Amino acid sequence: MELKEVLRFADEKVFSKTGKHLDDLQEAILKETLQGRKYATKVAQDRNCTEGYVRVAASELWKILSDVFGEEVSKGNVRAILERAKFYNSYSSAIGENYGTVNNNLNVCKERARSPTEPQNPQQTPKQLHIDLGDAPEIFTFFDRTSELSTLENWITQDRTRLIALLGISGIGKTTLSLRLIDGIKTQFDYVIYRSLRFSPTLDATLTNLLQIFSQPSEIPQNIETKISQILDYLRKYRCLIVLDDVQMLFSGQLAGQYKTGYEDYPLFFKLIADVCHQSCLILNSWEKPRDIARLSKDDRPVRCFVLGSLGVAAKEILKSQKLSDEETWSTLIDIYQGNPLWLELTATLIRELFGGRVAEFLQCEMPILDEGLQFQLSQPFGRLTAAELAVMVHLANQPEPVAMSQCFNKIPFSPSEIVNAVRSLGSRFLLDVVEEEKIILLSLNPVLKQYVISMSI
Ligand SMILES: Nc1ncnc2c1ncn2[C@@H]1O[C@H](COP(=O)(O)OP(=O)(O)OP(=O)(O)O)[C@@H](O)[C@H]1O
Ligand SMILES: [Mg+2]
């Protein structure tokens, strides 16, 4: 596709969404990137500015394009996303139907995005859908998560991502979101499977369990290598969506994301899922970021990480469903409890039972209050922390303001290496907030974790 055409298309789309055209700098960055070149040096030289300045402008540009195209755009995927969007755009105008924006094309153009190995005309070969959700919890209520669902759906159906890590602190809604996602896209698969690894099964046990869905018990081989290769065959032959939940149960009490002894073959299996060509997708839910996945999720590989955050204003629906009052104060409550649906559910029950549902009265207490259920919830990830991680948490819990990394040394009785590793690990457990302010990295704890650590250290 002509470079000029792609540039013009990007500019038109940005203009129709933001009312502004791409400026010269943005166009130069895009042009260099689309030609597969390292843009920063060249653009900085041509425009007589610093590379840092160009990088900041580029990061702004990727944000704008992400917003316009409804999926995360980076220098590594911008060309593919623009070309695909342009293709769909021309396709929808060619057949003269109103398909709306590129993002809305999702459902319409799925067939176009399929791999060449799939049947030419899927309508002629209707497939049978096998769903096995095992012991997945039933979802009774589900609020919002529209953009999260759309991004994940894009990754799976358009980008053909083979391995996705759905990450976030306990209670943030990973299980709920993945089940809702399954519900939305299941008809595009031959097999949809959900399994929880909460009892830490070995890889051998997990593979046997999965193979039982595809074949007779007598056909399941004994040897683990043959099991892996059989599973990969099924993932090639059928389009499967497999969610493995509670992956953190494979990790030990060492630094975050390290596999327990005896579980080291899981990362090898996950790497094969990422590297071997097939038409399926494996989603791993975890409240610790698996180390290997972090390494595998480079721009050019079909592996992504999605960190689930606050439920945002939609969390008001949780408070509404508990019939709480003082709606004007709900946003404060949601902010304090980080938009975490589970934390808010537990706290809303407490407010209903002991404060007659009056949120304003509850907020007059010293915040945040952690009910027993919430404390138990938090005790699980805390039970895994190393001594150095705990020391970092205690130090941060006692700071009134966020602190720089260097301020942690000398104050915590561990070596700088141990402290640095502990901070990294806490980040991978989503227990630490890291923000950058004027090139200074600042560390802090959210109010709920702070309160928990303080109450624990008394
Ligand atoms: N989008 C949502 N709308 C309504 N309720 C939600 C939503 N997301 C999560 N919840 C509720 O929050 C609670 C926690 O959600 P969930 O179990 O999915 O979290 P999780 O991230 O899987 O936690 P864990 O890591 O401990 O397994 C559940 O009671 C669930 O019903
Ligand atoms: Mg869960």
Side-chain angles (χ1 to χ4, degrees):
M1 207 173 281
E2 276 283 315
L3 176 65
K4 261 192 192 165
E5 268 181 70
V6 183
L7 278 172
R8 196 178 324 120
F9 172 70
D11 183 51
E12 278 167 14
K13 285 286 163 195
V14 169
F15 183 72
S16 65
K17 173 101 187 186
T18 64
K20 284 188 203 152
H21 285 288
L22 292 175
D23 62 27
D24 290 351
L25 177 58
Q26 289 171 327
E27 202 174 302
I29 293 169
L30 199 50
K31 204 165 150 190
E32 290 301 312
T33 312
L34 290 174
Q35 292 177 99
R37 297 206 280 251
K38 288 193 171 153
Y39 61 83
T41 320
K42 169 96 173 46
V43 175
Q45 273 167 3
D46 289 353
R47 309 184 68 81
N48 206 14
C49 59
T50 65
E51 287 187 26
Y53 181 74
V54 176
R55 285 212 181 84
V56 171
S59 126
E60 264 315 296
L61 175 61
W62 308 143
K63 271 191 221 147
I64 295 170
L65 293 175
S66 303
D67 197 31
V68 169
F69 292 101
E71 60 185 299
E72 208 171 305
V73 175
S74 66
K75 66 174 188 291
N77 67 8
V78 62
R79 179 157 198 135
I81 288 177
L82 288 176
E83 290 192 344
R84 191 181 63 223
K86 184 155 185 352
F87 170 77
Y88 290 152
N89 212 53
S90 331
Y91 173 67
S92 56
S93 11
I95 59 172
E97 290 186 34
N98 180 13
Y99 287 113
T101 65
V102 174
N103 205 18
N104 295 340
N105 276 340
L106 255 182
N107 296 320
V108 180
C109 297
K110 265 171 229 149
E111 303 309 330
R112 297 273 146 180
R114 281 174 187 266
S115 83
T117 54
E118 284 176 75
Q120 289 284 307
N121 186 351
Q123 269 119 21
Q124 282 174 2
T125 52
K127 49 191 183 183
Q128 202 192 339
L129 170 62
H130 305 257
I131 302 189
D132 187 336
L133 300 186
D135 54 358
E138 194 176 347
I139 304 300
F140 294 102
T141 47
F142 186 84
F143 307 123
D144 195 36
R145 296 292 195 200
T146 322
S147 76
E148 291 88 343
L149 283 168
S150 153
T151 302
L152 289 167
E153 184 172 337
N154 262 328
W155 286 0
I156 297 168
T157 61
Q158 305 265 333
D159 300 352
R160 294 280 162 154
T161 307
R162 294 182 200 141
L163 184 61
I164 296 176
L166 177 54
L167 308 169
I169 196 165
S170 178
I172 200 71
K174 301 175 294 295
T175 301
T176 312
L177 181 69
S178 50
L179 291 169
R180 183 55 176 234
L181 177 72
I182 283 182
D183 210 37
I185 57 175
K186 61 185 177 215
T187 54
Q188 297 175 47
F189 292 87
D190 303 301
Y191 283 84
V192 174
I193 301 164
Y194 168 96
R195 288 289 181 269
S196 164
L197 306 184
R198 71 174 71 85
F199 297 116
S200 316
T202 59
L203 178 63
D204 195 69
T206 301
L207 293 175
T208 306
N209 190 301
L210 293 176
L211 283 170
Q212 279 165 359
I213 299 169
F214 296 98
S215 52
Q216 296 301 319
S218 58
E219 293 166 20
I220 300 175
Q222 292 293 318
N223 172 302
I224 187 154
E225 281 88 17
T226 325
K227 283 183 188 171
I228 292 178
S229 93
Q230 252 192 21
I231 283 281
L232 289 170
D233 278 348
Y234 286 120
L235 299 184
R236 254 190 300 272
K237 187 167 168 198
Y238 302 109
R239 178 125 166 88
C240 311
L241 177 63
I242 303 177
V243 175
L244 292 184
D245 204 349
D246 302 307
V247 168
Q248 71 277 348
M249 300 316 282
L250 307 178
F251 305 135
S252 60
Q254 305 295 309
L255 292 176
Q258 286 181 354
Y259 290 84
K260 289 182 190 177
T261 313
Y263 289 76
E264 298 87 351
D265 40 11
Y266 267 103
L268 299 175
F269 174 60
F270 297 151
K271 187 166 181 330
L272 281 170
I273 297 281
D275 289 347
V276 171
C277 194
H278 58 80
Q279 51 164 334
S280 300
C281 176
L282 176 64
I283 300 182
L284 306 176
N285 292 351
S286 173
W287 35 259
E288 277 181 31
K289 189 171 189 175
R291 300 192 150 206
D292 44 316
I293 307 295
R295 273 195 295 270
L296 286 173
S297 55
K298 299 273 154 49
D299 280 345
D300 51 346
R301 295 177 98 135
V303 181
R304 307 259 169 93
C305 288
F306 190 97
V307 179
L308 194 57
S310 160
L311 185 55
V313 284
K316 287 188 179 177
E317 296 299 323
I318 294 177
L319 310 182
K320 198 184 273 175
S321 67
Q322 296 251 18
K323 301 197 170 36
L324 301 192
S325 54
D326 308 326
E327 197 166 341
E328 67 287 354
T329 62
W330 288 4
S331 303
T332 311
L333 188 72
I334 292 170
D335 283 350
I336 292 173
Y337 290 89
Q338 305 295 297
N340 183 308
L342 182 65
W343 295 0
L344 283 162
E345 274 174 7
L346 294 166
T347 308
T349 309
L350 173 77
I351 298 175
R352 190 165 42 78
E353 286 175 5
L354 296 185
F355 294 81
R358 289 186 301 278
V359 178
E361 187 189 335
F362 175 75
L363 287 174
Q364 278 166 12
C365 307
E366 200 179 322
M367 279 293 119
I369 290 181
L370 312 184
D371 94 320
E372 193 203 354
L374 180 43
Q375 284 185 348
F376 172 73
Q377 194 63 29
L378 294 172
S379 69
Q380 299 183 38
F382 271 83
R384 296 173 160 228
L385 301 189
T386 61
E389 285 178 299
L390 270 175
V392 171
M393 291 297 273
V394 171
H395 177 68
L396 293 178
N398 287 295
Q399 305 306 311
E401 298 292 333
V403 294
M405 190 70 237
S406 54
Q407 287 172 272
C408 296
F409 302 135
N410 303 326
K411 307 262 171 49
I412 301 172
F414 284 88
S415 72
S417 306
E418 286 169 320
I419 295 173
V420 165
N421 288 331
V423 166
R424 274 230 169 105
S425 179
L426 289 167
S428 296
R429 298 185 201 271
F430 310 99
L431 295 177
L432 196 72
D433 292 337
V434 182
V435 288
E436 189 176 340
E437 271 177 26
E438 292 169 7
K439 296 212 170 157
I440 299 177
I441 307 289
L442 295 173
L443 312 173
S444 61
L445 301 188
N446 74 50
V448 171
L449 296 179
K450 212 172 205 184
Q451 181 60 37
Y452 180 74
V453 176
I454 288 169
S455 65
M456 219 176 47
S457 27
I458 289 171

